[in-house]
Coordinates of all heavy atoms in Angstrom, one line a residue:
P1 N -118.2 18.9 -1.4 CA -118.7 18.1 -2.6 C -117.9 18.5 -3.8 O -117.5 19.6 -4.0 CB -120.1 18.4 -2.7 CG -120.3 19.8 -2.0 CD -119.3 19.9 -1.0
T2 N -117.7 17.5 -4.7 CA -117.1 17.7 -6.0 C -118.1 17.9 -7.1 O -119.2 17.4 -7.0 CB -116.1 16.6 -6.3 OG1 -116.9 15.4 -6.4 CG2 -115.0 16.4 -5.3
N3 N -117.7 18.7 -8.1 CA -118.6 18.9 -9.2 C -118.3 17.9 -10.3 O -117.2 17.7 -10.8 CB -118.2 20.3 -9.8 CG -119.2 20.8 -10.8 OD1 -119.9 20.0 -11.4 ND2 -119.2 22.1 -11.1
G4 N -119.4 17.2 -10.6 CA -119.3 16.1 -11.6 C -118.9 16.6 -13.0 O -118.2 15.9 -13.8
L5 N -119.3 17.8 -13.3 CA -119.0 18.4 -14.6 C -117.5 18.7 -14.7 O -116.8 18.5 -15.7 CB -119.8 19.7 -14.9 CG -121.3 19.5 -15.1 CD1 -122.0 20.8 -15.3 CD2 -121.5 18.6 -16.3
A6 N -116.9 19.2 -13.6 CA -115.5 19.4 -13.5 C -114.7 18.1 -13.7 O -113.7 18.1 -14.4 CB -115.1 20.1 -12.2
V7 N -115.1 17.1 -13.0 CA -114.4 15.8 -13.2 C -114.5 15.3 -14.6 O -113.5 14.8 -15.2 CB -115.0 14.8 -12.1 CG1 -114.4 13.4 -12.3 CG2 -114.8 15.3 -10.7
T8 N -115.7 15.4 -15.2 CA -115.9 14.9 -16.5 C -115.1 15.7 -17.5 O -114.5 15.2 -18.5 CB -117.4 15.0 -16.9 OG1 -118.1 14.3 -15.9 CG2 -117.6 14.4 -18.3
S9 N -115.0 17.0 -17.3 CA -114.2 17.9 -18.2 C -112.7 17.5 -18.1 O -112.0 17.4 -19.1 CB -114.3 19.3 -17.7 OG -113.4 20.1 -18.4
M10 N -112.2 17.2 -16.9 CA -110.8 16.8 -16.7 C -110.6 15.4 -17.4 O -109.6 15.3 -18.1 CB -110.4 16.7 -15.2 CG -109.0 16.5 -15.0 SD -108.5 16.5 -13.3 CE -109.4 15.1 -12.6
V11 N -111.5 14.5 -17.2 CA -111.3 13.2 -17.9 C -111.3 13.3 -19.4 O -110.5 12.7 -20.1 CB -112.4 12.2 -17.4 CG1 -112.4 10.9 -18.2 CG2 -112.2 11.9 -15.9
L12 N -112.3 14.1 -19.9 CA -112.3 14.2 -21.4 C -111.1 15.0 -21.9 O -110.6 14.7 -23.0 CB -113.6 15.0 -21.8 CG -114.9 14.2 -21.6 CD1 -116.1 15.2 -22.0 CD2 -114.9 13.0 -22.5
G13 N -110.6 15.9 -21.2 CA -109.4 16.6 -21.6 C -108.2 15.7 -21.6 O -107.4 15.7 -22.6
I14 N -108.0 14.8 -20.6 CA -106.9 13.9 -20.6 C -107.1 12.9 -21.7 O -106.1 12.5 -22.4 CB -106.9 13.2 -19.2 CG1 -106.5 14.2 -18.1 CG2 -105.9 12.0 -19.2 CD1 -106.6 13.7 -16.7
V15 N -108.3 12.4 -22.0 CA -108.5 11.4 -23.1 C -108.2 12.1 -24.4 O -107.6 11.4 -25.3 CB -109.9 10.9 -23.0 CG1 -110.2 10.0 -24.2 CG2 -110.1 10.0 -21.8
S16 N -108.6 13.3 -24.6 CA -108.3 14.0 -25.8 C -106.8 14.2 -26.0 O -106.3 14.2 -27.2 CB -109.0 15.4 -25.9 OG -108.4 16.3 -25.1
L17 N -106.0 14.4 -24.9 CA -104.6 14.4 -25.0 C -104.0 13.1 -25.4 O -103.0 13.0 -26.2 CB -103.9 14.9 -23.7 CG -103.9 16.4 -23.5 CD1 -103.3 16.6 -22.1 CD2 -103.1 17.1 -24.5
V18 N -104.5 12.0 -24.8 CA -104.0 10.7 -25.1 C -104.3 10.3 -26.6 O -103.5 9.6 -27.2 CB -104.6 9.7 -24.1 CG1 -104.2 8.2 -24.5 CG2 -104.1 10.0 -22.7
L19 N -105.5 10.6 -27.1 CA -105.9 10.2 -28.4 C -105.6 11.3 -29.5 O -106.3 11.3 -30.5 CB -107.4 9.9 -28.4 CG -107.9 8.8 -27.5 CD1 -109.4 8.7 -27.6 CD2 -107.3 7.5 -28.0
F20 N -104.6 12.1 -29.3 CA -104.3 13.2 -30.2 C -104.1 12.6 -31.6 O -104.3 13.3 -32.6 CB -103.2 14.1 -29.8 CG -101.8 13.5 -29.9 CD1 -101.1 13.6 -31.0 CD2 -101.3 12.8 -28.8 CE1 -99.8 13.1 -31.1 CE2 -100.1 12.2 -28.9 CZ -99.3 12.4 -30.0
C21 N -103.5 11.4 -31.8 CA -103.3 10.8 -33.1 C -104.6 10.5 -33.8 O -104.6 10.6 -35.0 CB -102.4 9.6 -33.0 SG -100.7 10.0 -32.7
A22 N -105.6 10.2 -33.1 CA -106.9 9.9 -33.6 C -107.7 11.3 -33.5 O -108.6 11.4 -32.7 CB -107.6 8.8 -32.9
W23 N -107.3 12.2 -34.3 CA -107.8 13.6 -34.2 C -109.3 13.7 -34.4 O -109.9 14.6 -33.8 CB -107.1 14.5 -35.2 CG -107.2 14.0 -36.7 CD1 -106.4 13.2 -37.3 CD2 -108.3 14.3 -37.6 NE1 -106.8 12.9 -38.6 CE2 -108.0 13.6 -38.7 CE3 -109.4 15.1 -37.5 CZ2 -108.8 13.7 -39.8 CZ3 -110.2 15.2 -38.6 CH2 -110.0 14.5 -39.7
Y24 N -109.9 12.8 -35.2 CA -111.3 12.7 -35.4 C -112.1 12.4 -34.1 O -113.3 12.6 -34.0 CB -111.6 11.8 -36.5 CG -111.0 10.5 -36.5 CD1 -111.5 9.4 -35.8 CD2 -109.7 10.3 -37.0 CE1 -110.9 8.2 -35.7 CE2 -109.1 9.0 -37.0 CZ -109.7 8.0 -36.3 OH -109.1 6.8 -36.2
L25 N -111.4 11.7 -33.2 CA -112.0 11.5 -31.9 C -111.6 12.5 -30.8 O -112.4 12.9 -30.0 CB -111.5 10.1 -31.3 CG -112.0 8.9 -32.1 CD1 -111.4 7.6 -31.6 CD2 -113.5 8.8 -32.1
A26 N -110.4 12.9 -30.9 CA -109.9 13.9 -29.8 C -110.5 15.2 -30.0 O -110.7 15.9 -29.0 CB -108.3 14.0 -30.0
L27 N -110.8 15.7 -31.2 CA -111.4 17.0 -31.4 C -112.8 17.1 -30.7 O -113.0 18.0 -29.9 CB -111.4 17.3 -32.9 CG -111.7 18.8 -33.2 CD1 -110.6 19.7 -32.7 CD2 -111.7 18.9 -34.7
P28 N -113.7 16.2 -31.0 CA -115.0 16.3 -30.3 C -114.9 16.1 -28.8 O -115.6 16.8 -28.0 CB -115.9 15.3 -30.9 CG -115.1 14.6 -32.0 CD -113.8 15.2 -32.0
L29 N -114.0 15.3 -28.3 CA -113.8 15.1 -26.9 C -113.3 16.4 -26.2 O -113.7 16.7 -25.1 CB -112.9 13.9 -26.6 CG -113.4 12.5 -26.9 CD1 -112.3 11.5 -26.7 CD2 -114.6 12.2 -26.1
G30 N -112.4 17.0 -26.9 CA -111.8 18.3 -26.4 C -112.8 19.4 -26.3 O -112.9 20.1 -25.3
I31 N -113.6 19.5 -27.4 CA -114.7 20.5 -27.4 C -115.7 20.3 -26.3 O -116.1 21.2 -25.6 CB -115.4 20.5 -28.8 CG1 -114.4 21.1 -29.8 CG2 -116.6 21.4 -28.7 CD1 -114.8 20.9 -31.3
T32 N -116.1 19.0 -26.1 CA -117.0 18.7 -25.0 C -116.4 19.0 -23.7 O -117.1 19.5 -22.8 CB -117.4 17.2 -25.1 OG1 -117.9 16.9 -26.4 CG2 -118.5 16.9 -24.1
G33 N -115.1 18.7 -23.5 CA -114.4 18.9 -22.2 C -114.4 20.4 -21.9 O -114.6 20.8 -20.8
I34 N -114.2 21.3 -23.0 CA -114.2 22.7 -22.7 C -115.6 23.2 -22.3 O -115.7 24.0 -21.4 CB -113.7 23.4 -24.0 CG1 -112.2 23.2 -24.1 CG2 -114.0 24.9 -23.9 CD1 -111.5 23.9 -25.3
I35 N -116.6 22.7 -23.0 CA -117.9 23.1 -22.6 C -118.3 22.7 -21.2 O -118.8 23.6 -20.4 CB -118.9 22.6 -23.7 CG1 -118.7 23.2 -25.0 CG2 -120.4 22.7 -23.2 CD1 -119.5 22.5 -26.2
L36 N -118.0 21.5 -20.9 CA -118.3 21.0 -19.5 C -117.5 21.7 -18.5 O -118.0 22.0 -17.4 CB -118.2 19.5 -19.4 CG -119.1 18.7 -20.2 CD1 -118.8 17.2 -20.1 CD2 -120.6 19.0 -19.8
G37 N -116.2 22.0 -18.8 CA -115.4 22.8 -17.8 C -115.9 24.2 -17.6 O -115.9 24.7 -16.5
A38 N -116.4 24.8 -18.6 CA -116.9 26.2 -18.5 C -118.2 26.2 -17.7 O -118.4 27.0 -16.8 CB -117.1 26.8 -19.9
I39 N -119.0 25.2 -17.9 CA -120.3 25.1 -17.1 C -119.9 24.8 -15.7 O -120.5 25.3 -14.7 CB -121.2 24.1 -17.7 CG1 -121.7 24.5 -19.1 CG2 -122.4 23.8 -16.8 CD1 -122.5 23.5 -19.9
G40 N -119.0 23.9 -15.5 CA -118.6 23.5 -14.1 C -118.0 24.7 -13.4 O -118.3 24.9 -12.2
L41 N -117.1 25.5 -14.0 CA -116.6 26.7 -13.4 C -117.7 27.7 -13.0 O -117.6 28.4 -12.0 CB -115.6 27.4 -14.3 CG -114.1 26.9 -14.2 CD1 -113.2 27.7 -15.2 CD2 -113.6 27.1 -12.8
N42 N -118.7 27.8 -13.9 CA -119.8 28.7 -13.6 C -120.6 28.2 -12.4 O -121.0 29.1 -11.5 CB -120.8 28.8 -14.8 CG -121.8 29.8 -14.7 OD1 -121.7 30.8 -13.9 ND2 -122.9 29.6 -15.4
Q43 N -120.8 26.9 -12.2 CA -121.4 26.4 -11.0 C -120.6 26.6 -9.8 O -121.1 26.9 -8.7 CB -121.8 24.9 -11.2 CG -122.9 24.7 -12.2 CD -123.2 23.2 -12.3 OE1 -122.4 22.3 -11.8 NE2 -124.2 22.9 -13.1
I44 N -119.3 26.4 -9.9 CA -118.4 26.6 -8.8 C -118.3 28.0 -8.4 O -118.2 28.3 -7.2 CB -117.0 26.1 -9.2 CG1 -117.0 24.6 -9.4 CG2 -115.9 26.4 -8.1 CD1 -115.8 24.0 -10.0
G45 N -118.4 29.0 -9.3 CA -118.4 30.4 -9.0 C -119.6 30.8 -8.1 O -119.6 31.8 -7.4
K46 N -120.7 30.0 -8.2 CA -121.8 30.3 -7.4 C -121.7 29.8 -5.9 O -122.6 30.0 -5.1 CB -123.1 29.7 -8.0 CG -123.4 30.3 -9.3 CD -124.6 29.6 -10.0 CE -124.9 30.2 -11.4 NZ -125.9 29.5 -12.0
G47 N -120.6 29.2 -5.6 CA -120.3 28.8 -4.3 C -120.9 27.5 -3.8 O -121.0 27.2 -2.6
Q48 N -121.2 26.6 -4.8 CA -121.8 25.3 -4.4 C -120.8 24.2 -4.1 O -121.1 23.2 -3.5 CB -122.8 24.9 -5.5 CG -123.9 25.9 -5.7 CD -124.7 25.5 -6.9 OE1 -124.4 24.5 -7.6 NE2 -125.8 26.2 -7.2
F49 N -119.6 24.4 -4.6 CA -118.6 23.3 -4.6 C -117.3 23.7 -4.0 O -117.0 24.9 -3.8 CB -118.4 22.7 -6.0 CG -119.7 22.2 -6.6 CD1 -120.4 22.9 -7.5 CD2 -120.1 20.9 -6.3 CE1 -121.6 22.5 -8.1 CE2 -121.3 20.4 -6.8 CZ -122.0 21.2 -7.8
S50 N -116.4 22.7 -3.8 CA -115.2 23.0 -3.1 C -114.1 23.5 -4.1 O -114.3 23.6 -5.3 CB -114.6 21.7 -2.5 OG -114.3 20.8 -3.5
A51 N -113.0 23.9 -3.5 CA -111.9 24.5 -4.3 C -111.2 23.4 -5.1 O -110.7 23.7 -6.2 CB -110.9 25.1 -3.4
A52 N -111.3 22.2 -4.7 CA -110.7 21.1 -5.5 C -111.5 20.9 -6.8 O -110.9 20.6 -7.9 CB -110.8 19.8 -4.7
S53 N -112.8 21.2 -6.8 CA -113.6 21.1 -8.0 C -113.1 22.2 -9.0 O -113.1 22.0 -10.2 CB -115.1 21.3 -7.7 OG -115.5 20.2 -7.0
R54 N -112.8 23.4 -8.4 CA -112.3 24.5 -9.3 C -111.0 24.1 -10.0 O -110.8 24.3 -11.2 CB -112.1 25.8 -8.5 CG -111.6 26.9 -9.2 CD -111.5 28.2 -8.4 NE -110.7 29.2 -9.0 CZ -111.1 30.0 -10.0 NH1 -112.3 29.9 -10.4 NH2 -110.3 31.0 -10.4
G55 N -110.1 23.4 -9.3 CA -108.9 23.0 -9.9 C -109.1 21.9 -10.9 O -108.4 21.9 -12.0
M56 N -110.1 21.0 -10.7 CA -110.4 20.0 -11.7 C -111.0 20.7 -13.0 O -110.7 20.2 -14.1 CB -111.3 19.0 -11.1 CG -110.6 18.0 -10.3 SD -111.7 16.6 -9.8 CE -112.1 17.1 -8.1
A57 N -111.8 21.7 -12.8 CA -112.4 22.3 -13.9 C -111.4 23.1 -14.7 O -111.4 23.0 -16.0 CB -113.5 23.3 -13.5
I58 N -110.4 23.7 -14.1 CA -109.4 24.4 -14.8 C -108.5 23.4 -15.5 O -108.0 23.6 -16.6 CB -108.6 25.3 -13.8 CG1 -109.5 26.5 -13.4 CG2 -107.3 25.9 -14.4 CD1 -108.9 27.3 -12.3
A59 N -108.1 22.3 -14.8 CA -107.3 21.3 -15.4 C -108.0 20.7 -16.7 O -107.4 20.5 -17.7 CB -107.0 20.2 -14.4
G60 N -109.3 20.6 -16.6 CA -110.1 20.1 -17.7 C -110.1 21.0 -18.9 O -109.9 20.6 -20.1
L61 N -110.2 22.3 -18.6 CA -110.1 23.3 -19.6 C -108.8 23.4 -20.3 O -108.7 23.5 -21.5 CB -110.5 24.7 -19.1 CG -111.9 25.0 -18.7 CD1 -112.1 26.3 -17.9 CD2 -112.8 25.0 -20.0
V62 N -107.7 23.3 -19.5 CA -106.4 23.4 -20.0 C -106.1 22.1 -20.9 O -105.6 22.2 -22.0 CB -105.3 23.6 -18.9 CG1 -103.9 23.4 -19.4 CG2 -105.5 24.9 -18.3
T63 N -106.3 21.0 -20.3 CA -106.0 19.7 -21.1 C -106.8 19.6 -22.3 O -106.3 19.2 -23.4 CB -106.1 18.5 -20.2 OG1 -107.5 18.4 -19.6 CG2 -105.1 18.5 -19.1
A64 N -108.1 20.0 -22.3 CA -109.0 19.9 -23.5 C -108.5 20.9 -24.5 O -108.5 20.6 -25.7 CB -110.4 20.1 -23.1
S65 N -108.1 22.1 -24.1 CA -107.6 23.1 -25.0 C -106.3 22.6 -25.7 O -106.2 22.7 -27.0 CB -107.3 24.4 -24.3 OG -108.5 24.9 -23.8
I66 N -105.4 22.0 -25.0 CA -104.2 21.5 -25.5 C -104.5 20.4 -26.5 O -103.9 20.2 -27.6 CB -103.2 21.1 -24.4 CG1 -102.7 22.3 -23.7 CG2 -102.0 20.4 -25.0 CD1 -101.9 22.0 -22.4
G67 N -105.4 19.5 -26.1 CA -105.8 18.4 -26.9 C -106.4 18.8 -28.2 O -106.2 18.3 -29.3
I68 N -107.2 19.9 -28.2 CA -107.8 20.5 -29.4 C -106.7 21.0 -30.3 O -106.7 20.8 -31.5 CB -108.9 21.5 -29.1 CG1 -110.1 20.9 -28.5 CG2 -109.2 22.4 -30.3 CD1 -111.2 21.8 -28.1
V69 N -105.8 21.8 -29.8 CA -104.7 22.4 -30.6 C -103.9 21.3 -31.3 O -103.6 21.4 -32.5 CB -103.9 23.3 -29.7 CG1 -102.6 23.7 -30.5 CG2 -104.7 24.5 -29.3
I70 N -103.5 20.3 -30.5 CA -102.7 19.2 -31.1 C -103.5 18.4 -32.1 O -103.0 18.1 -33.2 CB -102.2 18.3 -30.0 CG1 -101.2 19.0 -29.1 CG2 -101.5 17.0 -30.5 CD1 -100.7 18.3 -27.9
S71 N -104.8 18.2 -31.9 CA -105.6 17.5 -32.8 C -105.8 18.3 -34.1 O -105.7 17.7 -35.2 CB -107.0 17.2 -32.2 OG -106.9 16.4 -31.1
I72 N -105.9 19.6 -34.0 CA -106.0 20.4 -35.2 C -104.7 20.3 -36.0 O -104.8 20.2 -37.2 CB -106.4 21.8 -34.9 CG1 -107.9 21.9 -34.4 CG2 -106.2 22.8 -36.0 CD1 -108.4 23.2 -33.9
L73 N -103.6 20.4 -35.3 CA -102.3 20.3 -36.0 C -102.1 19.0 -36.7 O -101.7 18.9 -37.8 CB -101.2 20.6 -35.0 CG -101.1 22.0 -34.5 CD1 -100.0 22.1 -33.4 CD2 -100.9 23.0 -35.6
I74 N -102.5 17.9 -36.0 CA -102.4 16.6 -36.6 C -103.3 16.4 -37.8 O -103.0 15.9 -38.8 CB -102.6 15.5 -35.5 CG1 -101.6 15.5 -34.5 CG2 -102.8 14.1 -36.2 CD1 -100.2 15.1 -34.9
G75 N -104.5 17.0 -37.7 CA -105.5 16.9 -38.8 C -105.0 17.7 -40.0 O -105.2 17.2 -41.1
V76 N -104.5 18.9 -39.8 CA -104.0 19.7 -40.9 C -102.8 19.0 -41.5 O -102.7 18.9 -42.8 CB -103.6 21.1 -40.4 CG1 -102.8 21.8 -41.4 CG2 -104.9 21.9 -40.0
A77 N -101.9 18.4 -40.7 CA -100.8 17.7 -41.3 C -101.2 16.5 -42.1 O -100.7 16.2 -43.2 CB -99.8 17.3 -40.2
Y78 N -102.2 15.8 -41.6 CA -102.8 14.6 -42.3 C -103.3 15.0 -43.7 O -103.0 14.4 -44.7 CB -103.9 14.0 -41.5 CG -104.6 12.9 -42.2 CD1 -104.0 11.6 -42.3 CD2 -105.9 13.1 -42.7 CE1 -104.7 10.6 -43.0 CE2 -106.5 12.1 -43.3 CZ -106.0 10.8 -43.5 OH -106.6 9.8 -44.1
F79 N -104.1 16.0 -43.7 CA -104.7 16.5 -45.0 C -103.7 17.1 -45.9 O -103.7 16.9 -47.1 CB -105.9 17.4 -44.8 CG -107.1 16.7 -44.3 CD1 -107.6 16.9 -43.1 CD2 -107.8 15.8 -45.2 CE1 -108.8 16.2 -42.7 CE2 -108.9 15.1 -44.8 CZ -109.4 15.3 -43.5
A80 N -102.7 17.7 -45.4 CA -101.6 18.3 -46.2 C -100.8 17.2 -46.8 O -100.4 17.2 -48.0 CB -100.7 19.2 -45.4
L81 N -100.5 16.2 -46.0 CA -99.7 15.0 -46.6 C -100.6 14.3 -47.6 O -100.0 13.8 -48.6 CB -99.3 14.1 -45.5 CG -98.1 14.6 -44.6 CD1 -97.9 13.7 -43.4 CD2 -96.9 14.8 -45.4
L82 N -101.8 14.2 -47.4 CA -102.7 13.5 -48.3 C -102.8 14.2 -49.6 O -102.8 13.6 -50.7 CB -104.1 13.3 -47.7 CG -105.1 12.5 -48.5 CD1 -104.7 11.0 -48.5 CD2 -106.5 12.6 -47.8
A83 N -102.9 15.5 -49.5 CA -103.0 16.3 -50.8 C -101.7 16.3 -51.5 O -101.6 16.3 -52.7 CB -103.4 17.8 -50.4
N84 N -100.6 16.3 -50.8 CA -99.2 16.3 -51.4 C -99.0 14.9 -52.0 O -98.4 14.8 -53.1 CB -98.2 16.6 -50.3 CG -96.8 16.8 -50.9 OD1 -96.7 17.1 -52.1 ND2 -95.8 16.6 -50.1
A85 N -99.4 13.9 -51.4 CA -99.2 12.5 -51.9 C -100.1 12.3 -53.2 O -99.7 11.6 -54.1 CB -99.6 11.5 -50.9
S86 N -101.2 12.9 -53.2 CA -102.1 12.7 -54.4 C -101.6 13.6 -55.6 O -102.0 13.3 -56.7 CB -103.5 13.1 -54.1 OG -103.6 14.5 -53.8
S87 N -100.7 14.5 -55.4 CA -100.2 15.3 -56.5 C -99.0 14.6 -57.2 O -98.7 15.0 -58.3 CB -99.7 16.7 -55.9 OG -98.6 16.5 -55.1
F88 N -98.5 13.6 -56.6 CA -97.4 12.9 -57.2 C -98.0 11.8 -58.1 O -98.7 10.9 -57.7 CB -96.5 12.1 -56.2 CG -95.7 13.1 -55.4 CD1 -95.8 13.2 -54.0 CD2 -94.7 13.9 -56.0 CE1 -95.0 14.0 -53.2 CE2 -93.9 14.7 -55.2 CZ -94.1 14.8 -53.9
T89 N -97.7 11.9 -59.4 CA -98.1 10.9 -60.3 C -96.9 10.4 -61.1 O -96.0 11.2 -61.4 CB -99.1 11.5 -61.3 OG1 -98.5 12.6 -62.0 CG2 -100.4 12.0 -60.6
T90 N -96.9 9.2 -61.4 CA -95.8 8.7 -62.2 C -96.2 8.5 -63.6 O -97.3 8.0 -63.9 CB -95.4 7.3 -61.6 OG1 -96.6 6.4 -61.6 CG2 -94.9 7.4 -60.2
T91 N -95.5 9.0 -64.5 CA -95.7 8.9 -65.9 C -94.5 8.3 -66.6 O -93.4 8.6 -66.3 CB -96.0 10.3 -66.6 OG1 -94.8 11.1 -66.3 CG2 -97.2 10.9 -66.0
Y92 N -94.8 7.4 -67.5 CA -93.7 6.6 -68.1 C -93.7 7.0 -69.6 O -94.6 7.1 -70.3 CB -93.8 5.1 -67.9 CG -93.7 4.8 -66.5 CD1 -94.8 4.5 -65.7 CD2 -92.4 4.7 -65.9 CE1 -94.7 4.1 -64.4 CE2 -92.3 4.3 -64.5 CZ -93.4 4.0 -63.8 OH -93.3 3.7 -62.5

């Protein structure tokens, strides 16, 4: 049997990677993917699920982590550019 939390973690991780430009969506999806992946790995460690579920949980953790890192970088760049653009004033 497959672990539903592992599958959900993998899907959320992939979606967070795809939506990295929408950092305000990708960040919560990535965090949720990491939480579900960790819970799924904990359940898999108890021997209830197959090895494929372990791979999906690890893939979910990795993709969600990468999605979070990219989302944070995009968010920081967005606010840095916003702050830089607001500092330019034209005076005549």
Side-chain angles (χ1 to χ4, degrees):
T2 58
N3 187 343
L5 293 175
V7 174
T8 306
S9 170
M10 187 176 65
V11 169
L12 289 176
I14 292 169
V15 171
S16 73
L17 277 176
V18 171
L19 295 178
F20 72 90
C21 286
W23 57 270
Y24 48 88
L25 294 175
L27 195 60
L29 290 174
I31 292 170
T32 307
I34 287 178
I35 292 170
L36 293 178
I39 294 171
L41 271 178
N42 188 23
Q43 288 180 352
I44 293 166
K46 295 177 182 175
Q48 299 173 356
F49 299 100
S50 66
S53 293
R54 179 175 166 78
M56 283 189 255
I58 291 172
L61 287 171
V62 169
T63 55
S65 299
I66 293 170
I68 286 175
V69 168
I70 294 173
S71 299
I72 289 172
L73 292 175
I74 293 292
V76 167
Y78 172 76
F79 284 113
L81 288 174
L82 187 66
N84 192 21
S86 66
S87 68
F88 290 119
T89 58
T90 56
T91 56
Y92 297 102

